[in-house]
Amino acid sequence: MGAGEEIDHHDVEKNQADAKQKAIDDWLPVTASRNAKWWYSAFHNLTAMVGAGVLSLPYAMSHMGWGPGVTILIMSWVITFYTIWQMVEMHEIVPGKRLDRYHELGQEAFGEKLGLWIVVPQQIVVEVGTCIVYMVTGGKSLKKVHDTLCPDCKEIKTSYWIIIFASVNFVLAQCPSLNSISVVSLSAAVMSLTYSTIAWGASLKKGVAPNVDYGTKAHSTADAVFNFLSALGDVAFAYAGHNVVLEIQATMPSTPENPSKKPMWKGVIFAYIGVAFCYFPVAFIGYYMFGNSVDDNILITLEHPTWLIAAANLFVVIHVIGGYQIFAMPVFDMIETLLVKQMEFAPTFALRLSVRTLYVALTMFIALVCVPFFGSLLGFLGGFALAPTSYFLPCIIWLKLKKPKKFGLSWTINWICIVIGVMIMTLSPIGAMRNIIVQAKSYKFFS
């Protein structure tokens, strides 16, 4: 056997390996198709950002008061807008290579092993946590539609509504990639704009409550402090699109003269204008009209006109279905990558069906258990997991990869974001945790 034949044999093996790798990449959810338009990124980001968190903003405001509330909301918008820009810029920071997933960016910055351990646990907590929260929101909103339209009917437990809501996700979770759910995502983005508008429009129409009070609801100073901290977490939860930014950008086409960050950034700007349009009017008008008597979901405070509130709740359901899919996709991607690449499973439909069905079932089951802690759970997750990934992890990676000049503008801005982000991360779970403990005393399973 000559030297030439050996080389040929080696080449053939390498080509087969490459082809196999490409086949796997084409099968995985995130890297399946790279032909997305810039407006895909606009509505994917809008769906991911404007969570059901927007409806609890007036409630968060009621714990923070006017001054701090307005400051924190606007400051969060600015900081997360800056960090999302960093994420979009860093997608192709290494020439000729695309960092398609958050943890790939982490590995680029902190090394193969450490990068995984820093990013993946947080990302999983965020994405699975969001899916669970969306299960509860979807179920509660469906129940609200039923109770609003038919006040005299026999009441159906929230648990059953969550199961009904989950049934839709069992089906939709089988969509292979982000591009394939772009229709779901578009309708979800439109819905989020619609129900936000209904929320502040109906508040305006209802007018200022007769004995409106903007003081705190707390009975003691300790209460006030803990509620404030928990509210910080609620706000952090509202700005939670960063975990899927790179995964969305991975669906964009990219050439050296026309990198993917151009269309992506255009979409992000539109998404952020949409976010401002949803968040600020709801938070400020809702709080202005109801003061501290507002519920942790503003649609509950607004009871009339009946048809409108029922419609708004239905829109929430549709939006949350879309949001669930977008946040579940990167998790599916991780699980499927692990199974196909590490454990050498064949990339088949059966594998996908079982993985995804199991995942939806799991999130549904956890949702059934944590119905009563909903508000505090938001604060806990928001502070604990969302603050790092949206407020300061991008900044740390930026400092590590871009190495800006010490005490220069970029360096200073990043450090300010890191300090604020770390504060939110350490403070808000404390408040939420205390509330969960207080609520747990009177807890019944599967209520």
Side-chain angles (χ1 to χ4, degrees):
M1 191 170 167
E5 284 173 33
E6 268 182 33
I7 293 169
D8 281 352
H9 184 65
H10 181 71
D11 272 358
V12 169
E13 275 191 350
K14 186 176 180 325
N15 285 345
Q16 278 176 337
D18 283 350
K20 191 179 167 196
Q21 192 58 37
K22 187 176 179 329
I24 289 178
D25 278 341
D26 287 344
W27 182 78
L28 288 172
V30 171
T31 41
S33 52
R34 293 206 191 269
N35 55 2
K37 311 275 182 285
W38 71 265
W39 58 84
Y40 280 32
S41 101
F43 53 72
H44 278 324
N45 276 308
L46 193 60
T47 305
M49 280 301 271
V50 184
V54 59
L55 298 172
S56 65
L57 287 178
Y59 179 70
M61 286 284 295
S62 75
H63 286 322
M64 294 192 287
W66 277 117
V70 175
T71 316
I72 286 167
L73 262 179
I74 294 177
M75 190 180 70
S76 293
W77 190 84
V78 174
I79 291 179
T80 53
F81 196 29
Y82 173 60
T83 52
I84 211 166
W85 172 78
Q86 291 179 315
M87 302 275 288
V88 172
E89 284 289 312
M90 291 189 290
H91 177 68
E92 295 177 275
I93 195 166
V94 186
K97 182 179 170 192
R98 296 185 65 173
L99 304 170
D100 292 321
R101 301 168 179 87
Y102 206 145
H103 59 87
E104 288 174 19
L105 179 62
Q107 286 173 305
E108 195 58 51
F110 305 115
E112 288 292 311
K113 267 274 163 48
L114 186 64
L116 272 185
W117 281 107
I118 290 179
V119 180
V120 172
Q122 292 193 48
Q123 220 187 344
I124 287 179
V125 169
V126 170
E127 280 153 6
V128 179
T130 306
C131 287
I132 293 166
V133 167
Y134 279 1
M135 279 279 185
V136 179
T137 311
K140 279 191 159 179
S141 299
L142 274 174
K143 183 177 193 308
K144 191 85 173 74
V145 173
H146 171 262
D147 296 352
T148 313
L149 294 179
C150 178
D152 310 327
C153 300
K154 182 176 185 304
E155 198 170 301
I156 302 176
K157 281 189 195 165
T158 312
S159 304
Y160 298 138
W161 286 114
I162 291 178
I163 295 169
I164 294 168
F165 176 76
S167 62
V168 183
N169 285 319
F170 277 116
V171 179
L172 280 178
Q174 306 309 324
C175 293
S177 67
L178 268 174
N179 274 6
S180 65
I181 54 168
S182 54
V183 179
V184 180
S185 176
L186 173 64
S187 51
V190 173
M191 290 304 153
S192 60
L193 288 166
T194 317
Y195 70 68
S196 301
T197 311
I198 291 178
W200 62 260
S203 302
L204 266 182
K205 192 175 176 309
K206 197 162 184 178
V208 180
N211 45 4
V212 69
D213 174 15
Y214 300 114
T216 55
K217 264 185 291 206
H219 307 298
S220 64
T221 318
D223 260 3
V225 173
F226 282 122
N227 287 342
F228 181 86
L229 298 182
S230 193
L232 275 181
D234 286 342
V235 174
F237 193 87
Y239 290 98
H242 294 55
N243 290 285
V244 287
V245 170
L246 292 176
E247 284 82 352
I248 294 168
Q249 194 168 346
T251 62
M252 300 273 152
S254 184
T255 54
E257 52 281 354
N258 215 357
S260 63
K261 66 184 180 194
K262 285 184 183 165
M264 181 67 186
W265 181 233
K266 196 170 167 186
V268 169
I269 290 175
F270 274 88
Y272 252 76
I273 293 169
V275 167
F277 185 77
C278 289
Y279 283 16
F280 300 141
V282 173
F284 303 153
I285 295 172
Y287 181 47
Y288 181 71
M289 295 302 164
F290 302 111
N292 62 17
S293 62
V294 72
D295 289 284
D296 63 358
N297 175 343
I298 181 136
L299 292 179
I300 294 173
T301 321
L302 297 161
E303 277 134 6
H304 307 284
T306 332
W307 60 270
L308 190 65
I309 302 309
N313 275 297
L314 202 57
F315 295 160
V316 174
V317 173
I318 297 172
H319 173 208
V320 170
I321 291 172
Y324 185 94
Q325 298 308 323
I326 285 198
F327 276 94
M329 205 53 86
V331 184
F332 294 154
D333 184 83
M334 283 188 218
I335 301 172
E336 287 166 16
T337 304
L338 182 77
L339 291 175
V340 175
K341 289 189 176 173
Q342 255 82 28
M343 301 188 183
E344 305 277 318
F345 277 90
T348 56
F349 176 70
L351 176 73
R352 187 162 267 173
L353 183 74
S354 42
V355 164
R356 298 186 174 196
T357 310
L358 200 66
Y359 176 79
V360 178
L362 190 72
T363 50
M364 178 185 82
F365 184 73
I366 301 173
L368 292 175
V369 179
C370 62
V371 177
F373 306 124
F374 185 56
S376 311
L377 197 72
L378 277 184
F380 184 73
L381 273 174
F384 186 64
L386 290 167
T389 46
S390 333
Y391 284 75
F392 66 87
L393 201 56
C395 298
I396 295 177
I397 295 176
W398 182 268
L399 289 173
K400 192 115 169 86
L401 293 179
K402 290 271 190 182
K403 304 197 170 41
K405 195 165 100 264
K406 254 195 183 159
F407 303 111
L409 185 64
S410 168
W411 189 88
T412 316
I413 292 174
N414 282 305
W415 273 106
I416 293 172
C417 292
I418 292 171
V419 170
I420 294 173
V422 171
M423 273 162 54
I424 291 178
M425 179 183 102
T426 40
L427 295 174
S428 60
I430 303 174
M433 212 49 228
R434 171 180 177 271
N435 287 348
I436 290 178
I437 292 164
V438 170
Q439 286 160 342
K441 288 175 183 164
S442 57
Y443 178 64
K444 290 190 289 298
F445 267 94
F446 299 114
S447 55

